Amino acid sequence: MISARALEKRYGRKRALRPLDLDVASGSFLVVTGANGSGKTTLLRLLAGLAGPSRGTLEVEVDRGRLGYLGHEALVYRELTALENLDLYGRLYRVPERRERIGMLLERFGLWEARGERASALSRGMLQRLALCRALLHDPDLLVLDEPFTALDVQGAALLDHQLAELGGTRTVVVSTHEPERLQRLASARLALT
Amino acid sequence: MSTSSLNRSGFGSPVPLLAVLASGLVGIALALVFFVAPEDADQGLSQKIFYFHVPIALTAYACFGWGAFKALLLLWRKEERYDLESYVAVHQGTIFGALTLATGSIWAKASWGHWWLWSENQLVLFLVLFLFYSAYFMLRFSIEEGPRRANISAVYALFGIALVPVSFLAIRLAENVIHPTVFTREGPQMTGTMFFTFCVAWVAISALAYALYRLELLGKRLDSNLRELREALSS
Amino acid sequence: MTFLADVATLARKDLRLELRARDTLPAMLLFVVSTLVVFRFALPEGADDVAAQGADDVAAQGLLWVALVFTALLGLARAWAPEREGGALEGLVLAPTDRSAIWLGKSAAVFIFLCALDAVALPAFALFFAPVNLSTVAGVLLANLGICAIGTLLAAMAAASRTRELILPLLFLPLAIPLVVGGVGASVSAEPARFLAFLGLYDGVFAILCWASFEYVVSE
């Protein structure tokens, strides 16, 4: 599903990702680890299509509409409510039975009561949960999550654990994290960046 | 990128030859302008600046066009080198654009007694372009190096080339209604010798621009190769 | 067509945000009226005879366009603010939406704001200076199309720059010069059709250019 050869990313003189070879089969669960500055975020952005390679090749056999991404920012509109944000993305991703799906996700991640709150009024943990809803809204085939456990409280983290367990095996998942032990059971492949 | 551009910018570079050629041509052009071309009955010596002003203006247009072409290649092929080539072309174009304004202003003063004439369409067009391309550099240097900067610079360079005909039309429209033409100017009637001199001057200035373009490219590529080498050695 | 549906979705989102926050449009309206008042004080009083009055009218038309261009700049500076604040632009780029739809949706919203601006600016101008004729209104509408098209794209470029607010006017003004020529010409000339046609040409050329190149402005 994902195939990279000598994949490299530079911003002018700064090298953000050293040359990398990678193969990820469909249905894998890849856990990416590495120190700060090793290129985890860069790699995930490349996989999501937010940046193009400087050198080398990268093939991701999934089009944009089937890809879900969670980055360091929530990627939402601060002055729209949680519900409105998801409705917007639901339309752009052409999610079938949009309202039902949004409702289901909001409930699953404990955001139903807060659905009418503006994103700017949400706590960091709630915002992260909203971002997860956004990433999962269109039932993506490939999920790319950059340190998704950040800012989540115990309950939120448990919800995410549960969600990932559900997805692992049927979907392809790439997760970067500082706590690889957490995903020990689910991981089918590991990548350590230096 | 490294090895191929090293070959391009290392030994065997055409730049020294180009520089000699351009200098030679400019020398010949100067000689022709001052010693061979007949003096104009009306304007005298000041008319001679026309032999430089118009080729400089045409060369500036050519540089902007070349920059836009390289920009298009960058967006299409996504190869890093086109970004530098586009930038250097725009840089040269801006320099020659400033020279156009300067020589045009001198010509205006010599011919009509004014340092600036709004009725001179070419001058006004160059003023607008000069403002536009000055903003190019401000934009470029306020964005961090990387593909984002390259893409945005390229798009802006393409806008510039679209602006040329549109501005020209606008200025033509404006002159009749907004700024009624006060001064009329007949196109220069060129004799054979004058035409020949003009052509030589044009070729000379174009050669000069090309030599400067290759020189600046060479300098910037050497800089970048040196940096890469330093980085490779230190890691 | 999903392209147009996306454009509508995005434009609606911008209108909703502005209606909720109500910060940009009221500021623009106040700014344009204040600017016109400043112009009134900045203009030396014409002589009382009719000929001078006529000339003042013509000169004043130019002031309308200066006011409109600078007020538009004020609004454009905030055009991408919602996307910047929450990082939503990346969210849009990730979506299967055509990148040009992002540009067109935003431009459509800006166009509506500009028309709202004109609904206040033109009557104010007519009140303070000189009556406004039909060709001026047509010119303003056509110029709005050009302004929202290039302004939205240039604002996106400026958003990528360190000197955000500072650079947008520098990018916008040279490109706005032909629009001002077209607009003032339409107001003042005995043959406004030529100028209106020119404005249409400008809009066409730059809209196509913006539509084709927006993808590159937001991509890495």
Side-chain angles (χ1 to χ4, degrees), chain B residues 74-88:
Chain B
L74 172 77
L75 295 179
W76 179 25
R77 298 261 181 85
K78 304 197 201 312
E79 278 172 52
E80 238 179 272
R81 65 186 173 105
Y82 292 123
D83 175 48
L84 192 61
E85 290 171 15
S86 175
Y87 164 73
V88 171

Side-chain angles (χ1 to χ4, degrees), chain C:
Chain C
M1 275 182 67
T2 50
F3 180 86
L4 289 175
D6 288 341
V7 170
T9 305
L10 291 167
R12 249 203 318 268
K13 171 259 303 171
D14 280 311
L15 291 174
R16 178 176 302 159
L17 282 169
E18 181 56 34
L19 263 137
R20 195 168 287 177
R22 280 191 295 271
D23 49 16
T24 310
L25 193 56
M28 286 168 71
L29 298 179
L30 191 59
F31 183 81
V32 81
V33 176
S34 305
T35 308
L36 289 174
V37 175
V38 169
F39 285 160
R40 186 72 224 179
F41 287 114
L43 271 187
E45 289 299 328
D48 277 330
D49 66 290
V50 181
Q53 188 63 30
D56 265 348
D57 272 3
V58 170
Q61 297 291 336
L63 296 176
L64 170 66
W65 285 91
V66 174
L68 288 177
V69 165
F70 283 94
T71 312
L73 263 175
L74 198 74
L76 285 170
R78 302 263 318 150
W80 294 99
E83 277 77 14
R84 270 205 314 271
E85 280 157 22
L89 184 59
E90 283 204 335
L92 296 181
V93 168
L94 276 168
T97 315
D98 213 315
R99 274 65 186 261
S100 328
I102 304 176
W103 162 76
L104 191 55
K106 182 71 71 174
S107 297
V110 170
F111 179 75
I112 293 174
F113 295 146
L114 289 177
C115 290
L117 170 69
D118 297 328
V120 168
L122 290 175
F125 179 81
L127 189 66
F128 294 157
F129 289 95
V132 162
N133 55 28
L134 199 61
S135 54
T136 306
V137 176
V140 165
L141 284 175
L142 282 172
N144 280 353
L145 287 174
I147 292 174
C148 71
I150 61 165
T152 309
L153 184 131
L154 293 175
M157 285 188 179
S161 149
R162 232 177 17 244
T163 58
R164 214 162 290 149
E165 295 79 33
L166 214 55
I167 197 113
L168 181 59
L170 300 180
L171 300 175
F172 182 71
L173 288 175
L175 284 165
I177 289 173
L179 283 173
V180 171
V181 168
V184 175
S187 308
V188 156
S189 153
E191 292 172 39
R194 262 201 303 171
F195 291 89
L196 292 175
F198 170 76
L199 283 175
L201 176 71
Y202 181 101
D203 292 344
V205 168
F206 280 101
I208 292 176
L209 202 53
C210 290
W211 175 82
S213 62
F214 188 75
E215 156 119 43
Y216 301 101
V217 172
V218 288
S219 71
E220 259 180 41

Side-chain angles (χ1 to χ4, degrees), chain A residues 112-130:
Chain A
W112 181 252
E113 270 75 49
R115 70 190 184 284
E117 300 265 351
R118 296 190 196 182
S120 55
L122 295 177
S123 69
R124 206 163 158 240
M126 304 280 266
L127 201 59
Q128 184 77 335
R129 295 193 205 186
L130 179 61

Side-chain angles (χ1 to χ4, degrees), chain A:
Chain A
M1 178 167 260
I2 300 175
S3 170
R5 292 286 172 272
L7 180 64
E8 209 182 316
K9 181 67 178 171
R10 289 161 66 211
Y11 289 93
R13 298 168 233 169
K14 270 192 309 182
R15 186 146 54 167
L17 182 69
R18 293 220 177 77
L20 175 70
D21 285 346
L22 181 65
D23 280 294
V24 180
S26 182
S28 311
F29 195 109
L30 174 67
V31 176
V32 180
T33 53
N36 287 334
S38 56
K40 296 196 299 296
T41 299
T42 308
L43 175 62
L44 265 60
R45 284 170 62 85
L46 283 165
L47 293 178
L50 283 171
S54 303
R55 270 188 227 178
T57 58
L58 173 64
E59 268 172 48
V60 178
E61 287 163 22
V62 135
D63 32 75
R64 290 208 306 262
R66 307 296 312 148
L67 187 146
Y69 175 78
L70 178 75
H72 287 293
E73 285 191 81
L75 310 190
V76 294
Y77 286 93
R78 290 174 53 81
E79 294 308 309
L80 289 181
T81 66
L83 190 61
E84 285 166 346
N85 266 298
L86 291 179
D87 190 65
L88 175 72
Y89 280 109
R91 283 172 197 267
L92 293 178
Y93 277 95
R94 319 192 216 301
V95 173
E97 287 170 5
R98 193 172 61 241
R99 275 174 235 255
E100 287 81 10
R101 177 114 184 121
I102 292 174
M104 189 265 287
L105 277 169
L106 285 172
E107 281 215 46
R108 184 182 295 182
F109 282 93
L111 286 174
W112 181 252
E113 270 75 49
R115 70 190 184 284
E117 300 265 351
R118 296 190 196 182
S120 55
L122 295 177
S123 69
R124 206 163 158 240
M126 304 280 266
L127 201 59
Q128 184 77 335
R129 295 193 205 186
L130 179 61
L132 277 166
C133 290
R134 182 193 48 75
L136 294 164
L137 188 60
H138 49 291
D139 196 21
D141 293 327
L142 171 63
L143 205 55
V144 179
L145 308 173
D146 195 353
E147 297 183 29
F149 288 97
T150 329
L152 287 179
D153 59 8
V154 175
Q155 191 194 11
L159 289 166
L160 180 57
D161 269 329
H162 184 74
Q163 181 70 74
L164 287 176
E166 233 178 80
L167 289 169
T170 55
R171 303 278 188 272
T172 314
V173 182
V174 178
V175 182
S176 82
T177 178
H178 281 301
E179 307 166 29
E181 327 76 51
R182 193 177 201 123
L183 300 166
Q184 198 87 305
R185 297 167 294 112
L186 293 167
S188 71
R190 283 167 195 75
L191 175 66
L193 293 177
T194 43

Side-chain angles (χ1 to χ4, degrees), chain B residues 37-104:
Chain B
E39 223 173 82
D40 183 76
D42 296 318
Q43 296 178 19
L45 207 62
S46 63
Q47 181 266 349
K48 306 254 179 194
I49 211 174
F50 152 83
Y51 290 112
F52 297 108
H53 172 71
V54 180
I56 290 177
L58 293 173
T59 306
Y61 283 131
C63 290
F64 292 139
W66 190 242
F69 174 63
K70 292 290 179 182
L72 199 60
L73 284 175
L74 172 77
L75 295 179
W76 179 25
R77 298 261 181 85
K78 304 197 201 312
E79 278 172 52
E80 238 179 272
R81 65 186 173 105
Y82 292 123
D83 175 48
L84 192 61
E85 290 171 15
S86 175
Y87 164 73
V88 171
V90 170
H91 190 209
Q92 292 300 322
T94 311
I95 294 174
F96 279 84
L99 283 173
T100 308
L101 288 173
T103 52

